[in-house]
Amino acid sequence: MTPPVRFDTDPGSYRHLRLEIDGEIARIVIEADERGGIAPGYELKLNSYDLGVDIELHDAVQRLRFEHPQVRAVVLTSGLDKVFCAGANIRMLAQADHPWKVNFCKFTNETRNEIEDAGADSGQAYLAAVNGNAAGGGYELALACDEIIMVDDGSAAVSLPEVPLLAVLPGTGGLTRLVDKRGVRKDLADVVATRSEGVRAKTALDWGLVDAIAPPSRFAATVSGRARAAAARSRRAPGGPGVTLAPLRRSAAENAIAYPHVTADLDRAAGLVTVTVRGPGEPAPPDLAGAREQGAAFWPLAVTRELDDLILWLRANETGLGLWVLRTSGDPQAVLGYERLLTGALHADWLADEIRHFAKRTLRRLDVTSRSLFALIEPGSCFAGALAELAFAADRQYMLNDLSGGDPGGAAEPGPGPASITLSAANFGALPMASGLSRLASRFRGDPGHLAALEKRAGTALGAEEALGLGLVTFAPDDLDWDEEIRIACEERAALSPDALTGMEANLRFAGPETLQTKVFGRLTAWQNWVFTRPNASGPEGALRRYGSGRAADFDRNRA
Amino acid sequence: MTPPVRFDTDPGSYRHLRLEIDGEIARIVIEADERGGIAPGYELKLNSYDLGVDIELHDAVQRLRFEHPQVRAVVLTSGLDKVFCAGANIRMLAQADHPWKVNFCKFTNETRNEIEDAGADSGQAYLAAVNGNAAGGGYELALACDEIIMVDDGSAAVSLPEVPLLAVLPGTGGLTRLVDKRGVRKDLADVVATRSEGVRAKTALDWGLVDAIAPPSRFAATVSGRARAAAARSRRAPGGPGVTLAPLRRSAAENAIAYPHVTADLDRAAGLVTVTVRGPGEPAPPDLAGAREQGAAFWPLAVTRELDDLILWLRANETGLGLWVLRTSGDPQAVLGYERLLTGALHADWLADEIRHFAKRTLRRLDVTSRSLFALIEPGSCFAGALAELAFAADRQYMLNDLSGGDPGGAAEPGPGPASITLSAANFGALPMASGLSRLASRFRGDPGHLAALEKRAGTALGAEEALGLGLVTFAPDDLDWDEEIRIACEERAALSPDALTGMEANLRFAGPETLQTKVFGRLTAWQNWVFTRPNASGPEGALRRYGSGRAADFDRNRA
C-alpha cells in the first residue's frame, strides 16, 4: 500500500525550494532534489517537478501571504545554472495512471492560479526570473507570473515541447495563457507549441512570450529593478505582523480524518464521505488584534486551512469515494459574527483580505473537484454566510423540513431548532467563483431580479419551506421522509458512472461567463484529459511512453 | 470499403423528414425510417437519429432560409404518436468508433447551432412542438429551438438519460443549453441529467425546461398560436422569391474532389489535402436582381456551398489527412466587387443577409475542424475580404515574398504579380467567429489599437513584407526558400500526434470571450470526447456497450 499523499509541509522540510525574504522582496528559488521524487521510479533532473515539488511551491505561496505580510513582490527563479525549470517530470507522467495525472495537473493548475491571485488580490506580484531554459511546465510556471524576465545568453530558450515530444498538451494553462493572458497571436503560439527547441530571448520578446530580456551581466539587476518597481506598485493593505501557519492537527484513521473543526467520515461500502465543518466554539474577538493573538487558531483561518487540506487529501488519496456529503454544525450567528469582524477590516487590514481570498480559493477548489457534492442542511447546522457557500457549491442541496416545528416533543433535552440558511454579504460577491460571479448569481442567471430579492433577506434565518420557495435548496423532505430520501439519493449517485458524473458536473457548475481560470479548467484541462487517454500519448507505442527510449512513437493518423 | 458519406441531399430524397410550407409558417416533421440508417446494424426506432437523419435536418434548415424566404417561423415536430424524438441511436453509438462518434457529434452540434442562427439572424424562429417523449438528443434538439411547447398528457416526459443509462454526456449542447441558454438552476439540471425517466410537463414548466405546456386537446392550437406570434415578431428582410439550391456539381475521384469553384487535391503519402478556392470568373452583376437571375450559380453562394460541402466531406471521409493547405486563385478586385454588391443590400434584402450568414457559418465550421490549417498566399491568389478570412481561420499563414517584384523576367508570359492580402469590411466584424469577435480582433487581442490601424489599410493590396510587418502572416519566405520551407512545414506537421494537434488547435483558435457556441464546442465537447474514450462508457463492460443487453455496466469507481 502506498502511503497517502500529504499536502501540508513547511519551509524547514522543503527538499526542492528555498524561500528567501529581503524586506519587501521575497525569492522562491527552485532547486529540485533529483532523488527527492514523491514516488519512486524517476529523478527530478533539470528542475523538473512532480507533485512533491508543487506541494512545496503551494506552501511557499501560501506562507508568503500569511507569514510575510511585508512582502510586496516575489521573484521566482532557479538555483541551477542555465536551467530555469524543465516542467513536469516526463518519466513520472509516463508511469502515472490516468487519475494520478489528472489530479496532479489539477493541483498544479490551482497553484499557478494562486500565484496570479497573489498578484491580483494580495499585492504580492510574481516575477519569473528565467535564468536558463524554461521548457514545458517550466515555461507555463513563468506564464503564471505577472512578469517574465528572461536571460539573453544566446542559448536559453522558452519552449512548449509537449506536442512535438510527448503528444500531450501544455495543459497547465500554457496554451490558454499564451493567447488569452499574454495576447500572443495564435499563429505564433502555434509555432511555439510545435517547435520542440523553443524560442530564444530576442524572438521571445518580439513575439510577446516574455516581458523583458537582459544579458547575463545585467540580468540580476534587471530582475531586482523590476521587482522593486512591482513592490512600489503594490496596494497590499497594512496591518500587524505575520501569522505563523502552525502545523495542522490532522488525525487520519482507516475510515475517518479529523481536524479540530473539520471531520470526514469515510463510508467505503457506500462510496461516500461525510464532511462536517464545525462553526466557531466561541464568539469572535472584538477586533483584529484579538484575531492576531489567536494566530492560526483564529476560527476562520483554521477552518479554511483544515477544509482546504481535507479536499486535497481526499482528492489524492480517496479516489474511490465519489460522493461528498457536506454538513455543518454550530451556531449560525457565531459564524456571522466572525464575518462581520473581517468584513469591517477589508482593504484596511491584510489579514482580513487574506482570509477572504483564502476562503475564495478553497471554495474554488471545491468547484473544480471531480466528486459529486450534496449538501445536507439539518437542525443544528450553521449554513450562514461563507459556510452557506459550501451548500451553493454543491450539486444539490437537501434541507430538512422539520414539521414538528423544532419542538422536541417527548425528548429529554430541547433540540437545536429547525434547519436554517442565513445569507450575508459573503453570498453576494465577496467569494466569487472563477467565473467572477457569486455562486448565487450563477445559480439564478435565469432570473437576475431574484438576486435583489434574496439580498433583502440577508441576515434572516430562512427555514426549509422558505428556502425551497426561494430556490436556495433542491429538495426539502420532511422528517418522516428525510433518512430514506437521503439514503436513496446517495445510493443512486453511487451507481452512476464516475466519468460521466465528472464531465456532467464540470459543465453544470460553470454557468455564465468564462475567464482565464475557467478556460484552463474547463476547455484546456478537458482536452488534456482526453489527449492523456489516447493511445498516441499513453499507449505502449505512444509518445509519452516511448520518450527517451530512442524509438519514435507510432501514431494512429486518423483525426478525431 | 464503405461508401463515402455524402452531406448533400434534397427534400425529394428525404427518408426521415417532411418539409411542409404554409405561408409564413413551415413545419419540419420528423418520422425516421426505422430501416433507413446510414450504416447497417441498427434500426431508427422511436425517431432516434443517426448522421443520415441529421444530414436531412441540416438540409431542411438551409433550404428554408434560401428557398422559402417568406417563412418566418418553423415548427419542428414528430410524425409519430406520443414520441417526439429518442435522440441519437444508441446501437449506432455503441458500434461506432471514436472518430465517427466525435465527428457525428460535431455535425449535429453545428446543425443545432444553425437552428439557433436561423432565429437570431434570419428571422426564422424555431418552435419545438414536443408531442411526446423527448429523450436525450431529442430533448437537446428541442433545447436548440427558440421555444419549446410540450404536451401535457400525463405521460410525455423530457429527459436526458445519457448519464444514468449510457455513462456518456448530453453532449449535443444539452448541459450547456440548460444552464446557459435557459438559465435552469444547476441543481435542478443535475436532477434532470441523472434521472433516466425525466420530467413530466408541469414540473418541466416549473423548472424552466420548456416554455409552455398544453393538454392534447389544445396542443395544436397552442403551437400554431405561438408560431404565428413568432412570425409576427420576425424581422426577416424583404426581397424577391427564393433561390433554389440546385444539386452540387461534385466529382470525387481517388485523389481529387472537384467542384466548379473549389478543388481538393489529396496527397495520401504526405497526409495532406490542398484546397483551392477560386474567385469569381466574371464581375459581379450590377444589382441583386442580377444575382437572383444567376440563382445558385451566383458566385458567393456557389463557392460557399461548395466549400461547406467539401469541409464536411473531408471531415467524414478523409480522417487520415490531418493537414489542410488552403489556397485561393483569382482576382482580388472581383472578389471585393461581389462583396460590395452584398454589403450594400444587408438588412434590406434577405438574400444578401443569408449569404453573409452562410459564409459566417462555413468559416465557423472551419474553426472547429479538427485538422491543421495552413494558408498559402501566393502570386495569383485572391485573399481579399471574405476569402482572406480563410487565411485568418488557419493556424498559420505563409506568404510568398516575391523578391523579383512580380517581374516575370525571362518567362514567356507575364506572371500574375506578387502575392497580396486585401482587407475589407468582411474582416472587421461582418463574419464573426463563434466567440463574437472577428478573426482579426481575436488575432490581435493583445494589441487592440492595431485593429484600428489595420482598418485604415482596408482596400489596399498588401504585399508580403507589409503583411508580415502588420502581423497578418506568420512567415514570408522569399521565392528561393518558398518550396523548401513549405515542404518542411508540412512534413513536420504531419509527423506530430493527431490528437495532440486537435487539442492544441481547439485551444489556440479561441482566444477571447466564450459564448454558448464556444462552450458547447470547447468545454462540453471536450469532456464528451474524454468520456467517450473511458472504459466505463465504451469498454466491453461499459454502459454504452452493455445497454439493452440486460446486464448492468461494471464501473471502475475511481474518480479522475
Side-chain angles (χ1 to χ4, degrees):
Chain A
M1 212 180 119
T2 36
V5 180
R6 293 161 195 278
F7 289 81
D8 51 327
T9 184
D10 61 80
S13 309
Y14 290 174
R15 296 188 66 169
H16 308 292
L17 303 186
R18 290 198 309 274
L19 188 52
E20 302 169 350
I21 314 286
D22 180 12
E24 290 188 334
I25 314 283
R27 280 163 51 92
I28 298 176
V29 182
I30 310 176
E31 198 172 333
D33 177 354
E34 292 192 1
R35 285 173 293 183
I38 198 171
Y42 53 88
E43 294 187 336
L44 297 175
K45 296 195 172 175
L46 299 172
N47 260 356
S48 62
Y49 61 80
D50 68 353
L51 183 58
V53 178
D54 236 70
I55 286 171
E56 293 184 6
L57 182 60
H58 160 67
D59 185 74
V61 174
Q62 180 79 338
R63 280 182 199 276
L64 282 171
R65 296 174 76 161
F66 281 99
E67 299 191 347
H68 303 282
Q70 83 282 10
V71 166
R72 291 168 169 260
V74 184
V75 174
L76 182 64
T77 194
S78 151
L80 303 187
D81 190 35
K82 303 230 174 229
V83 170
F84 177 71
C85 171
N89 187 277
I90 296 167
R91 289 182 194 283
M92 178 277 293
L93 281 179
Q95 76 183 39
D97 64 18
H98 185 68
W100 179 276
K101 280 200 285 276
V102 169
N103 198 54
F104 165 71
C105 290
K106 183 166 287 172
F107 180 71
T108 54
N109 266 315
E110 289 173 323
T111 302
R112 294 331 79 347
N113 289 343
E114 289 166 7
I115 287 173
E116 286 178 339
D117 188 66
D121 293 327
S122 283
Q124 287 188 343
Y126 275 67
L127 298 89
V130 177
N131 59 312
N133 284 319
Y139 178 47
E140 289 179 297
L141 180 57
L143 281 167
C145 294
D146 298 281
E147 296 182 41
I148 308 177
I149 304 115
M150 182 179 180
V151 70
D152 179 12
D153 63 359
S155 80
V158 294
S159 64
L160 294 173
E162 287 88 341
V163 171
L165 293 187
L166 306 174
V168 301
L169 302 183
T172 314
L175 296 177
T176 309
R177 287 200 173 86
L178 273 187
V179 294
D180 270 300
K181 178 180 180 180
R182 298 193 64 88
V184 173
R185 269 167 39 204
K186 73 166 181 178
D187 58 325
L188 299 176
D190 179 286
V191 174
V192 172
T194 54
R195 185 189 277 181
S196 54
E197 71 274 22
V199 171
R200 296 227 176 101
K202 288 192 177 63
T203 305
L205 186 65
D206 278 351
W207 290 7
L209 307 178
V210 302
D211 297 290
I213 61 175
S217 60
R218 289 205 308 270
F219 184 66
T222 303
V223 170
S224 66
R226 292 183 76 110
R228 283 193 302 272
R233 286 192 301 271
S234 166
R235 293 191 295 178
R236 190 166 171 83
V243 171
T244 301
L245 299 178
L248 285 170
R249 288 191 286 143
R250 180 188 57 228
S251 71
E254 171 64 16
N255 291 317
I257 301 156
Y259 307 79
H261 308 89
V262 177
T263 54
D265 295 298
L266 284 50
D267 184 342
R268 296 180 194 283
L272 66 81
V273 184
T274 302
V275 175
T276 304
V277 178
R278 275 185 292 283
E282 53 191 45
D287 52 33
L288 274 182
R292 282 199 164 76
E293 274 172 34
Q294 297 180 24
F298 180 54
W299 176 80
L301 177 56
V303 74
T304 307
R305 287 183 73 206
E306 294 169 11
L307 180 60
D308 203 57
D309 187 71
L310 178 66
I311 293 170
L312 293 170
W313 178 287
L314 292 174
R315 288 201 322 207
N317 301 316
E318 299 291 349
T319 55
L321 305 178
L323 171 61
W324 294 0
V325 174
L326 306 178
R327 302 173 71 249
T328 60
S329 83
D331 174 9
Q333 286 307 317
V335 172
L336 296 175
Y338 280 82
E339 182 180 316
R340 278 190 299 274
L341 169 64
L342 292 173
T343 304
L346 282 183
H347 310 302
D349 187 301
W350 66 263
L351 181 59
D353 289 348
E354 288 302 349
I355 290 174
R356 172 166 82 98
H357 287 300
F358 184 23
K360 177 195 75 182
R361 293 194 300 277
T362 298
L363 287 161
R364 288 184 186 182
R365 217 192 269 292
L366 205 51
D367 291 332
V368 298
T369 289
S370 60
R371 302 293 190 278
S372 296
L373 306 174
F374 286 0
L376 301 193
I377 303 157
E378 298 160 286
S381 66
C382 53
F383 284 98
L387 291 191
E389 289 294 297
L390 290 177
F392 303 139
D395 300 301
R396 299 184 183 185
Q397 301 76 31
Y398 289 86
M399 189 164 182
L400 197 155
N401 185 11
D402 189 356
L403 296 179
S404 67
D407 172 6
E413 296 186 34
S420 67
I421 293 176
T422 311
L423 302 178
S424 78
N427 309 114
F428 295 98
L431 300 167
M433 300 177 67
S435 66
L437 298 183
S438 71
R439 286 174 187 74
L440 287 181
S442 179
R443 185 179 184 89
F444 296 109
R445 274 189 75 250
D447 185 7
H450 191 55
L451 264 190
L454 286 174
E455 221 161 345
K456 290 190 186 130
R457 309 303 307 276
T460 307
L462 304 166
E465 286 184 17
E466 203 168 8
L468 186 69
L470 291 169
L472 297 173
V473 300
T474 320
F475 297 112
D478 65 31
D479 34 6
L480 292 175
D481 293 335
W482 176 260
D483 289 346
E484 182 74 352
E485 191 157 328
I486 300 302
R487 185 184 62 75
I488 291 172
C490 293
E491 284 180 8
E492 285 181 348
R493 197 70 167 196
L496 300 178
S497 160
D499 307 318
L501 287 175
T502 294
M504 181 189 84
E505 291 152 4
N507 280 279
L508 295 181
R509 290 180 189 166
F510 291 92
E514 299 260 3
T515 63
L516 182 68
Q517 281 193 17
T518 69
K519 283 177 92 160
V520 169
F521 284 115
R523 179 183 273 271
L524 180 59
T525 296
W527 284 105
Q528 178 76 306
N529 287 359
W530 176 72
V531 170
F532 273 153
T533 64
R534 300 284 288 163
N536 285 338
S538 301
E541 287 93 42
L544 197 52
R545 298 276 289 277
R546 282 209 171 157
Y547 181 77
S549 72
R551 298 171 68 198
D554 280 336
F555 290 139
D556 174 351
R557 292 271 150 220
N558 286 296
R559 280 276 197 148
Chain B
M1 210 179 122
T2 37
V5 180
R6 293 161 195 278
F7 289 81
D8 51 327
T9 185
D10 60 79
S13 309
Y14 289 175
R15 295 187 68 170
H16 308 293
L17 303 186
R18 289 198 311 275
L19 188 53
E20 303 170 350
I21 313 286
D22 181 11
E24 291 188 334
I25 314 283
R27 280 162 51 92
I28 298 176
V29 182
I30 309 175
E31 199 172 331
D33 177 354
E34 291 192 1
R35 284 172 296 182
I38 198 170
Y42 52 88
E43 296 188 334
L44 298 174
K45 295 195 173 176
L46 300 173
N47 260 356
S48 61
Y49 61 80
D50 68 355
L51 183 57
V53 178
D54 234 70
I55 286 171
E56 294 184 6
L57 182 60
H58 161 66
D59 185 75
V61 173
Q62 180 80 337
R63 281 183 198 276
L64 283 170
R65 296 174 78 160
F66 281 98
E67 299 191 348
H68 303 283
Q70 82 282 9
V71 167
R72 293 168 167 260
V74 184
V75 174
L76 181 66
T77 192
S78 152
L80 303 187
D81 190 36
K82 302 228 175 232
V83 170
F84 176 71
C85 171
N89 187 277
I90 296 167
R91 289 183 193 284
M92 178 277 294
L93 281 180
Q95 75 182 41
D97 64 18
H98 184 68
W100 179 276
K101 280 200 284 274
V102 169
N103 198 55
F104 164 72
C105 290
K106 182 166 286 173
F107 180 71
T108 54
N109 267 315
E110 289 173 323
T111 302
R112 275 120 202 92
N113 288 343
E114 289 165 7
I115 288 173
E116 286 178 339
D117 188 66
D121 294 327
S122 284
Q124 287 188 343
Y126 276 67
L127 297 90
V130 178
N131 59 312
N133 285 320
Y139 177 47
E140 289 180 297
L141 181 57
L143 282 168
C145 294
D146 299 280
E147 297 182 40
I148 307 176
I149 304 113
M150 181 178 180
V151 69
D152 179 13
D153 62 0
S155 81
V158 294
S159 64
L160 294 173
E162 287 89 343
V163 171
L165 292 188
L166 306 174
V168 300
L169 302 183
T172 314
L175 295 178
T176 309
R177 286 200 173 86
L178 274 186
V179 295
D180 270 300
K181 178 179 180 180
R182 298 193 63 88
V184 173
R185 268 167 40 204
K186 71 166 183 177
D187 59 325
L188 299 176
D190 179 285
V191 173
V192 173
T194 53
R195 184 189 279 182
S196 55
E197 71 274 22
V199 171
R200 295 227 176 102
K202 287 191 176 64
T203 304
L205 186 64
D206 278 351
W207 290 7
L209 307 179
V210 302
D211 297 290
I213 62 175
S217 61
R218 288 205 308 271
F219 185 66
T222 302
V223 170
S224 66
R226 291 184 76 110
R228 283 193 304 273
R233 286 192 301 270
S234 166
R235 293 192 294 176
R236 190 165 171 83
V243 172
T244 301
L245 299 177
L248 286 171
R249 289 192 286 144
R250 179 187 59 227
S251 71
E254 171 65 15
N255 291 317
I257 302 156
Y259 309 78
H261 308 89
V262 177
T263 53
D265 295 299
L266 283 50
D267 184 343
R268 295 180 195 284
L272 65 82
V273 185
T274 302
V275 175
T276 304
V277 178
R278 276 185 292 283
E282 52 191 47
D287 51 32
L288 274 182
R292 282 200 164 75
E293 276 173 34
Q294 297 179 23
F298 180 54
W299 177 78
L301 177 55
V303 74
T304 308
R305 286 183 73 207
E306 294 170 11
L307 181 60
D308 204 58
D309 187 71
L310 178 66
I311 294 170
L312 292 171
W313 178 288
L314 292 174
R315 288 200 323 206
N317 300 316
E318 299 290 350
T319 54
L321 304 178
L323 171 61
W324 293 0
V325 175
L326 306 178
R327 302 174 70 249
T328 60
S329 84
D331 174 8
Q333 286 307 317
V335 172
L336 295 175
Y338 280 82
E339 183 180 315
R340 278 191 297 273
L341 169 65
L342 292 172
T343 304
L346 283 184
H347 310 303
D349 187 303
W350 65 263
L351 182 59
D353 289 348
E354 289 302 349
I355 290 173
R356 172 167 82 97
H357 287 299
F358 185 23
K360 176 195 76 184
R361 293 194 300 278
T362 298
L363 287 161
R364 289 185 186 182
R365 217 192 269 293
L366 205 51
D367 291 331
V368 298
T369 288
S370 60
R371 302 292 189 279
S372 296
L373 306 173
F374 285 1
L376 301 193
I377 303 157
E378 297 160 287
S381 66
C382 54
F383 284 98
L387 291 191
E389 289 295 298
L390 291 176
F392 303 139
D395 299 302
R396 298 184 184 186
Q397 300 77 31
Y398 289 86
M399 189 164 181
L400 197 154
N401 185 11
D402 189 356
L403 296 179
S404 67
D407 173 7
E413 296 185 33
S420 66
I421 294 175
T422 311
L423 302 178
S424 78
N427 310 114
F428 295 98
L431 301 168
M433 300 177 67
S435 66
L437 298 183
S438 70
R439 284 173 189 76
L440 287 181
S442 179
R443 186 179 184 88
F444 296 110
R445 274 188 75 249
D447 185 8
H450 191 55
L451 217 48
L454 287 173
E455 220 160 345
K456 290 189 187 133
R457 309 302 309 274
T460 307
L462 303 167
E465 286 185 16
E466 202 167 11
L468 186 69
L470 291 168
L472 297 173
V473 300
T474 320
F475 297 112
D478 64 33
D479 33 7
L480 292 175
D481 293 336
W482 177 260
D483 289 347
E484 182 74 353
E485 190 156 330
I486 300 301
R487 185 184 62 74
I488 290 172
C490 293
E491 283 180 8
E492 285 181 348
R493 197 70 167 197
L496 300 178
S497 160
D499 307 317
L501 287 175
T502 294
M504 182 190 82
E505 292 153 3
N507 281 279
L508 294 182
R509 289 180 189 166
F510 291 92
E514 300 259 4
T515 63
L516 182 66
Q517 281 192 17
T518 69
K519 284 177 91 160
V520 168
F521 284 114
R523 179 183 274 272
L524 181 58
T525 297
W527 283 105
Q528 178 75 307
N529 288 359
W530 175 72
V531 170
F532 273 152
T533 64
R534 299 286 287 163
N536 286 339
S538 301
E541 286 93 42
L544 197 52
R545 298 275 289 278
R546 284 209 170 156
Y547 181 76
S549 72
R551 298 171 68 198
D554 280 336
F555 291 138
D556 173 351
R557 291 272 150 221
N558 287 296
R559 281 277 196 148

